[in-house]
Amino acid sequence: MKKSPLWFIFCLMPLFLGAASLKITGASTIQPIIEKSASEYVKKHPVTFDISAGGSGKGMKDSVERLNDIGMASRNLSAKEEQSLIKVTIGFDALAIIVNQHNPLTALTQKQIADIYSGKIKEWSELGWGEGGKIVLVNKEIGRSTLELFEGYSKLTHPNRPNAKPENSIAKERFDIGSNLESITLTAGMKSAIGYVSSGTADLSIQAGSPIKILSLDGITPTKESIQSEKYPIVRSLNLAYHKNAENPEIAPFIDFILSQEGQKIVQSFGFLPITKDK
């Protein structure tokens, strides 16, 4: 599918001549945290921010190639990435399976999700919803950490990956989406859709009135308790990373701000968990 039209650059321009700058790219899941943190940070620091999404893969590639100052990744770094980068975890999130609020189902098993996304189960009637019709798969494009997490959980592979095997691949009939917001919007707009997104983003969208709901996986719902205890099966860390040879003196102070009590409150305000359980 065509790449996300919602990709954008968010710039904060403090009223200081000769202000320092930070370019931050990567995971759309983390982007709102960074935007809000930046808006607070510039109240006391003469820094210009250039913040854009594009996925965890882009954020880490940009960091390795020193095309940004900080990369955002809603996943762990690969061994190759860790050779060049310094990682800082700023919070935790979980991957949520979402459906339209008209869907009467409240839970699915790992096997059912794998059968749905592989195309073995094509109709909601096979799962007990007679009026659901054909299942519409909302998937993530390659380069998104949510796709990688989903692949690990479902044991399926995106069919466009090299050496993907048809018998273990996500079905060809699907919508490949970029950001969490796009996935939520599409699922909210089609009663027969199913998707997967950040649980923090899904929670906030539901609170804002989005007509979606989160399904439990094998009887476990992504709550603060189930995520922190790791009982919920798909938990991930939210990370920032920068090159080991980075020279921008603004990198460390900004990351320290996000790790501070004020910064961790911002992390929590977007539905994510802080790096310590007692905050």
Side-chain angles (χ1 to χ4, degrees):
M1 282 187 67
K2 191 175 181 180
K3 284 197 172 184
S4 166
L6 297 179
W7 180 91
F8 66 98
I9 293 179
F10 175 85
C11 291
L12 292 167
M13 302 295 294
L15 301 177
F16 298 96
L17 292 176
S21 64
L22 280 173
K23 183 174 182 179
I24 305 174
T25 65
S28 61
T29 296
I30 302 176
Q31 184 179 5
I33 298 173
I34 301 305
E35 290 176 349
K36 177 62 176 176
S37 297
S39 69
E40 295 299 318
Y41 191 76
V42 296
K43 293 177 181 179
K44 297 181 180 179
H45 301 83
V47 179
T48 296
F49 285 85
D50 180 348
I51 304 169
S52 61
S56 296
K58 173 176 172 52
M60 295 304 96
K61 183 175 184 293
D62 287 350
S63 293
V64 169
E65 297 179 0
R66 303 183 74 172
L67 298 176
N68 64 16
D69 295 300
I70 301 173
M72 303 176 285
S74 49
R75 60 163 171 79
N76 288 323
L77 274 61
S78 68
K80 185 176 181 180
E81 290 166 348
E82 288 184 341
Q83 291 177 2
S84 302
L85 306 179
I86 295 173
K87 180 191 76 173
V88 180
T89 299
I90 63 169
F92 295 93
D93 184 28
L95 191 68
I97 305 297
I98 59 171
V99 294
N100 190 280
Q101 68 176 7
H102 289 98
N103 193 320
L105 298 181
T106 59
L108 289 173
T109 65
Q110 182 180 23
K111 185 179 186 307
Q112 286 173 325
I113 290 171
D115 287 346
I116 289 171
Y117 268 86
S118 67
K120 292 179 181 178
I121 295 178
K122 299 180 182 294
E123 302 279 339
W124 284 112
S125 59
E126 298 177 61
L127 295 168
W129 184 22
E131 300 176 357
K134 185 177 180 180
I135 298 173
V136 177
L137 302 179
V138 181
N139 192 52
K140 285 298 188 81
E141 63 189 11
I142 291 176
R144 301 285 175 165
S145 64
T146 42
L147 170 63
E148 296 171 13
L149 282 166
F150 181 78
E151 288 175 321
Y153 175 72
S154 66
K155 310 304 179 186
L156 299 174
T157 303
H158 194 292
N160 293 343
R161 290 197 186 280
N163 302 318
K165 297 180 180 179
E167 64 272 18
N168 294 318
S169 292
I170 295 170
K172 292 183 178 181
E173 291 188 52
R174 67 188 189 280
F175 288 95
D176 275 357
I177 299 300
S179 69
N180 286 313
L181 179 58
E182 287 181 286
S183 296
I184 289 171
T185 300
L186 194 56
T187 305
M190 295 188 292
K191 73 173 187 178
S192 57
I194 184 171
Y196 53 88
V197 297
S198 154
S199 66
T201 305
D203 283 333
L204 288 179
S205 296
I206 292 170
Q207 293 172 25
S210 180
I212 61 169
K213 66 179 181 180
I214 298 173
L215 302 182
S216 65
L217 300 182
D218 294 308
I220 303 173
T221 302
T223 63
K224 177 180 178 180
E225 292 73 22
S226 67
I227 294 171
Q228 287 183 331
S229 66
E230 297 187 5
K231 290 182 179 179
Y232 186 73
I234 324 177
V235 177
R236 62 179 175 176
S237 58
L238 305 178
N239 299 304
L240 300 180
Y242 57 95
H243 201 278
K244 290 180 179 179
N245 295 325
E247 298 177 353
N248 191 328
E250 300 297 332
I251 293 173
F254 180 61
I255 292 178
D256 286 344
F257 171 76
I258 298 174
L259 297 177
S260 71
Q261 186 174 6
E262 182 179 358
Q264 288 294 286
K265 286 182 179 178
I266 293 173
V267 171
Q268 293 180 83
S269 73
F270 287 97
F272 304 117
L273 296 181
I275 55 175
T276 54
K277 298 182 180 180
D278 58 351
K279 286 186 179 178

